[in-house]
Amino acid sequence: MKNIKIALSLVLLFSISSCDEFLSETPDNRTQIDTPEKISELLVNAYPVGGTYMDFAETMSDNVTDGRLTETLPKNLQNYNWEMQDETNVDTQANYWDACYRAIAHANKALQAIAEQGYPASMNAQRGEALLARAYSHFMLVSFWSNRYNPATAGTDLGIPYVTEPEEVLIKKYTRNTVAEVYDLLQKDIEEGLKYVTNEYKEPKFHFNREAGKAFASRFYLIKGDWAKVLEVTEGLGSKPAGKIRDYLAYTSLDPNVQFIDYAKAEHPTNLLIVSSYSIYSRATQQNRFYLGANQSIELLGNATNIYNKAWYYTTYSYNSKTNFRPKYKEYFKYTNLTANIGEPYLGTVLLSNDEFYLNRIEALVMSNRIAEANTELEFFLGMRTKAYNAATDKLTEAKIVAKYPVITDEYTPFYTMTPVQTSYVKAIAEAKRREFIHEGMRWFDVKRFNLVVKHDIFNSPSNTLVKDDKRRALQIPLSASSNGVEINPR
């Protein structure tokens, strides 16, 4: 956390300090954050743009295997073995921890500025965005660095420090809230943020807008097991929202080099929240030994995984015949010194989408015992991703789901109970998410909340298995944070 110095860059950017007490007048060169426009500028950095989670989250999941490349990146191997990383640079666990707390600092500064103005209605959009942005980073932190949410243990499980005020000192010590406390604060921020957030932005896809806020809320409530709340926030999607989810027929008809760029474009209705993240994750397609294997692509995306036994629109490619990829990330390298040939790599990253939003709704329908409705929506979703799909003859039925996704004792073990039929449907939805968001790290959320066992094979070495309730499911607190007093996770 680098001693969670999450206000330092903010101070440099906006020249806000505590020296007001020594001055009777505000200096003319002092930038005052007192308009919606200035707060919007501040909120550009209220997202974890300085780091990404996709690399480590994806590598920890069951979406990857040993591709047997000749070179092994240390951080790639450590992620694969659920170990704490030695590195703190781009795309590492510690880097993402820092990025989240920096984002939280900017959100808190914006909220402080809005409070100082007396919460005017003209700043409601920024107030809502700041609350949702603060909640998002805290949610990602607790999801990675704490045990999964379980109301029976959340009151004693270690959460993460939930920071709600700007730092006024260079080094401030923090203690960890419990998971229950974190979730209570998250819910408060989310619900308060949804009251105020709007779509009143020139580029709404790069801010928390109303749809993105609801999509984030659906993810949060899904993990809490609050199905009524999930259905409430997803109501606006409607049935079979063809124009709102990704059109894979159109997407896969593009040249693969264009697909890299196209995936995160703001004009696609499915993309609700997009950020430009500091990352070299696009290079993983060639560099990561532990990645989506060629044989694994067939196991996850082959015709046999399709309930209609037809081909998917999900197309994979390979640079080395050992690991496969789907084109989702295009690196933009911003040169800071052309002469020295140095600069900073960025990726367009989709943080929230209608595809996830819709699947969350379908799962909530299942868990609310609205199976017929869920079946209709899941049939539509799967059909949109199936080549040669025929809506008249390719019908999804409960019997097909139960046969394709049989209940296996102690496989899916969330904190709540599920009937056999619910379990089969939830498995089907989880596998749909797995295919949909491959490379995006999203599978880790389901591995964790369903307590799924993950086995990682390593060529010429013993395999490594993440068993149920394995302590490694909660990442170890970064050294920079633990050295400043943040309690580490038990091992």
Side-chain angles (χ1 to χ4, degrees):
M1 201 194 305
K2 298 180 181 175
N3 299 325
I4 319 184
K5 300 176 184 176
I6 55 181
L8 183 56
S9 60
L10 192 62
V11 172
L12 296 176
L13 283 170
F14 294 94
S15 302
I16 299 171
S17 73
S18 60
C19 63
D20 283 343
E21 59 188 277
F22 301 108
L23 300 174
S24 59
E25 295 183 6
T26 303
D28 291 339
N29 65 351
R30 173 77 56 86
T31 300
Q32 294 296 304
I33 307 175
D34 53 7
T35 67
E37 293 74 23
K38 291 177 182 178
I39 292 174
S40 291
E41 289 181 20
L42 177 60
L43 287 172
V44 168
N45 292 309
Y47 303 87
V49 294
T52 60
Y53 62 87
M54 294 93 69
D55 197 349
F56 66 80
E58 186 75 6
T59 309
M60 292 190 298
S61 78
D62 51 359
N63 280 352
V64 299
T65 190
D66 188 350
R68 303 187 186 184
L69 302 183
T70 54
E71 300 293 331
T72 304
L73 298 175
K75 68 177 181 180
N76 186 222
L77 177 61
Q78 288 169 334
N79 287 332
Y80 194 66
N81 284 327
W82 307 287
E83 297 172 350
M84 185 177 178
Q85 292 177 337
D86 298 328
E87 302 174 51
T88 60
N89 56 1
V90 61
D91 294 323
T92 60
Q93 300 165 15
N95 177 255
Y96 187 66
W97 171 282
D98 288 348
C100 285
Y101 275 112
R102 284 196 299 270
I104 290 165
H106 285 79
N108 282 337
K109 205 68 185 178
L111 288 167
Q112 182 187 57
I114 294 168
E116 289 172 351
Q117 296 299 314
Y119 297 110
S122 61
M123 295 184 182
N124 276 351
Q126 289 76 11
R127 183 180 179 184
E129 180 185 2
L131 287 165
L132 289 168
R134 179 170 76 181
Y136 176 82
S137 286
H138 280 117
F139 173 81
M140 297 302 285
L141 288 163
V142 76
S143 296
F144 288 122
W145 277 275
S146 298
N147 290 337
R148 64 172 180 155
Y149 177 79
N150 182 342
T153 61
T156 54
D157 285 340
L158 288 170
I160 44 91
Y162 203 102
V163 184
T164 59
E165 297 178 352
E167 286 189 354
E168 303 297 340
V169 296
L170 182 60
I171 300 175
K172 185 173 181 178
K173 293 187 180 295
Y174 288 91
T175 57
R176 298 175 66 172
N177 296 88
T178 66
V179 169
E181 290 170 339
V182 171
Y183 269 71
D184 286 345
L185 290 165
L186 282 170
Q187 186 160 340
K188 179 181 177 182
D189 276 353
I190 290 170
E191 293 179 352
E192 188 78 2
L194 288 176
K195 290 180 184 178
Y196 301 109
V197 72
T198 69
N199 293 328
E200 297 173 5
Y201 298 100
K202 291 181 180 179
E203 297 178 312
K205 296 294 185 74
F206 298 93
H207 300 266
F208 254 114
N209 51 70
R210 285 199 61 78
E211 287 70 32
K214 289 180 179 180
F216 169 44
S218 77
R219 185 190 295 182
F220 170 76
Y221 290 125
L222 196 73
I223 288 178
K224 277 200 76 176
D226 192 337
W227 321 122
K229 283 286 190 180
V230 176
L231 294 176
E232 179 184 322
V233 297
T234 60
E235 186 65 35
L237 274 174
S239 179
K240 301 181 180 180
K244 296 182 180 180
I245 62 175
R246 192 173 300 279
D247 183 349
Y248 263 92
L249 172 59
Y251 173 66
T252 54
S253 66
L254 301 172
D255 181 272
N257 291 314
V258 178
Q259 290 181 41
F260 279 115
I261 302 170
D262 185 79
Y263 190 80
K265 280 188 174 180
E267 51 260 43
H268 293 308
T270 187
N271 295 336
L272 300 179
L273 181 60
I274 307 165
V275 298
S276 181
S277 303
Y278 178 67
S279 174
I280 59 171
Y281 184 48
S282 64
R283 306 178 195 181
T285 57
Q286 301 180 62
Q287 294 181 342
N288 280 12
R289 169 181 165 182
F290 304 103
Y291 202 64
L292 176 66
N295 292 334
Q296 195 178 29
S297 292
I298 298 173
E299 295 173 6
L300 298 183
L301 304 170
N303 290 19
T305 67
N306 188 301
I307 203 158
Y308 308 117
N309 200 31
K310 294 182 176 181
W312 296 106
Y313 279 122
Y314 302 121
T315 306
T316 60
Y317 305 89
S318 179
Y319 289 125
N320 50 38
S321 74
K322 295 180 179 179
T323 58
N324 285 12
F325 66 89
R326 281 173 46 202
K328 291 187 172 184
Y329 300 106
K330 178 66 175 179
E331 182 178 307
Y332 166 66
F333 194 80
K334 180 181 178 181
Y335 285 95
T336 56
N337 188 320
L338 283 171
T339 304
N341 198 36
I342 58 175
E344 299 171 337
Y346 291 91
L347 293 182
T349 308
V350 180
L351 297 186
L352 294 163
S353 70
N354 269 331
D355 300 304
E356 180 197 356
F357 198 21
Y358 187 39
L359 288 169
N360 289 349
R361 177 171 177 80
I362 298 172
E363 186 175 334
L365 288 171
V366 169
M367 295 307 300
S368 301
N369 288 313
R370 294 162 64 176
I371 302 296
E373 292 174 73
N375 194 83
T376 298
E377 306 303 337
L378 186 58
E379 178 184 293
F380 171 76
F381 184 88
L382 297 177
M384 285 282 288
R385 278 128 179 85
T386 300
K387 291 183 180 180
Y389 170 72
N390 186 326
T393 58
D394 293 328
K395 305 304 293 182
L396 192 66
T397 65
E398 182 178 312
K400 284 183 179 180
I401 289 289
V402 170
K404 186 73 173 178
Y405 301 98
V407 176
I408 298 173
T409 303
D410 290 333
E411 181 187 18
Y412 277 63
T413 53
F415 70 81
Y416 45 85
T417 59
M418 299 190 293
T419 67
V421 170
Q422 286 175 328
T423 301
S424 291
Y425 270 93
V426 166
K427 285 178 66 174
I429 296 163
E431 287 301 307
K433 282 186 175 181
R434 188 180 185 185
R435 288 185 296 268
E436 188 74 17
F437 303 115
I438 207 158
H439 305 318
E440 298 183 47
M442 292 292 292
R443 175 63 172 173
W444 182 249
F445 289 92
D446 281 350
V447 166
K448 200 160 179 179
R449 71 188 180 107
F450 293 127
N451 213 11
L452 300 177
V453 174
V454 179
K455 182 181 179 182
H456 280 170
D457 293 322
I458 303 177
F459 183 61
N460 283 341
S461 297
S463 61
N464 196 348
T465 301
L466 190 74
V467 300
K468 288 186 179 293
D469 299 317
D470 196 309
K471 289 182 172 61
R472 294 174 296 175
R473 290 174 184 268
L475 297 182
Q476 189 53 273
I477 299 297
L479 181 61
S480 56
S482 62
S483 64
N484 194 46
V486 178
E487 185 177 353
I488 64 173
N489 287 321
R491 283 293 186 262

